[in-house]
Amino acid sequence: MPQRIVAGNWKMNGSRALLAAYFTAMEQGWAAPRRCEVLLFPPALLLSESIERAAALGIRLGVQTVHPEASGAYTGELAAEMAADAGAQWTLVGHSERRAACGESNDGVAARAVAALRAGLKPMVCVGEVLADRRAGRAEDVVREQLEAVLTTMGEDLCAGAIAYEPVWAIGTGETASPEVAQAMHAVIRDILGAASKRLLEVPIVYGGSVKPDNAAALFAETDIDGALVGGASLDAAAFLAIIAAMENHGNP
Ligand code: PGA
């Protein structure tokens, strides 16, 4: 059975003060999860500040992207090796905001996932269609193309990571995919992984897009939804704790 994961993506939000208050609130409300792994992707500059308090709670840390190269003349970029050296264990790759704003292609995302593994980081590969694709009936084709680029490059090495299905029209919009719509795409993703290799059936597939305490349990009740990648709600410790509790209480056994 795939590992259950609840992950928080802070995007370009937060400060040292907010982080300190956040960990205090997390420590107060924390009940060690039995069934899921909790990940946090703060801005890279807050990573080292997070290490000790995250470790005390068993929360694993990650960065929000890495560059394909290990070093070089890439001003402003972050190598996977540097993230690992700073204490990251995971990295997001191919988040839709980076695909859209930074022009990350399917091949570029695959190269970042390979870089993550090279440095010993687990990649959480984000896939998902925009609204126009869904309206045109192309949602599955788009997700398949995104996945196949990563599978062609990584093959079974993807067993070390996870997939996040994030329909772009549901990110930061308050519009969640219904559990049925999300489950349907998760099942497609599971089939694509399983067709590539039976071992890949164990790769966790988490859902992202306006996950909140009040919709998390219904999403987690679906067969192929192994957790969540939470954006906005992960900045609020109480909301993030409630989503972790929803996984603990209502996830599949
Ligand atoms: P959201 O973001 O929960 O704010 O919609 C999810 C994400 O982009 O990872």
Side-chain angles (χ1 to χ4, degrees):
M1 183 185 303
Q3 171 70 49
R4 308 290 186 223
I5 296 174
V6 176
N9 172 15
W10 276 23
K11 310 190 179 185
M12 197 176 72
N13 295 296
S15 61
R16 294 172 65 204
L18 188 135
L19 190 81
Y22 185 81
F23 273 114
T24 301
M26 292 292 279
E27 284 153 12
Q28 281 162 2
W30 190 251
R34 288 165 291 113
R35 129 190 304 174
C36 72
E37 189 162 321
V38 179
L39 313 179
L40 193 63
F41 296 91
L45 282 175
L46 294 179
L47 196 70
S48 48
E49 192 97 8
S50 310
I51 301 271
E52 275 183 29
R53 295 179 82 178
L57 298 177
I59 296 175
R60 295 178 203 279
L61 295 169
V63 289
Q64 297 170 9
T65 186
V66 290
H67 191 273
E69 300 297 331
S71 64
Y74 303 102
T75 302
E77 294 287 349
L78 179 69
E81 282 75 3
M82 294 169 179
D85 187 44
Q89 291 177 277
W90 282 80
T91 182
L92 299 178
V93 295
H95 190 281
S96 62
E97 286 153 13
R98 294 199 58 86
R99 289 181 190 261
C102 308
E104 288 185 12
S105 63
N106 285 345
D107 289 345
V109 171
R112 285 167 169 78
V114 168
L117 284 185
R118 181 188 68 216
L121 298 180
K122 294 167 180 271
M124 180 176 280
V125 180
C126 304
V127 297
E129 79 286 359
V130 300
L131 190 55
D133 293 326
R134 178 155 286 269
R135 289 204 171 127
R138 279 189 30 84
E140 281 188 29
D141 292 345
V142 167
V143 168
R144 182 180 296 276
E145 282 162 23
Q146 292 172 338
L147 269 178
E148 278 173 358
V150 172
L151 281 171
T152 305
T153 318
M154 295 180 75
E156 289 189 350
D157 287 349
L158 191 56
C159 286
I163 302 291
Y165 169 58
E166 300 202 299
V168 180
W169 45 271
I171 295 178
T173 58
E175 185 150 342
T176 327
S178 68
E180 296 74 26
V181 166
Q183 163 59 28
M185 188 64 87
H186 280 233
V188 168
I189 294 171
R190 188 87 71 205
D191 281 352
I192 294 169
L193 294 173
S197 152
K198 288 273 170 287
R199 283 190 61 218
L200 290 167
L201 289 170
E202 288 302 308
V203 172
I205 307 170
V206 304
Y207 170 79
S210 299
V211 176
K212 304 273 183 297
D214 60 3
N215 60 25
L219 288 161
F220 296 158
E222 296 291 341
T223 317
D224 291 300
I225 299 183
D226 302 320
L229 177 56
V230 186
S234 73
L235 283 156
D236 175 347
F240 196 46
L241 285 167
I243 294 168
I244 296 166
M247 173 52 88
E248 288 295 288
N249 297 331
H250 298 286
N252 301 315

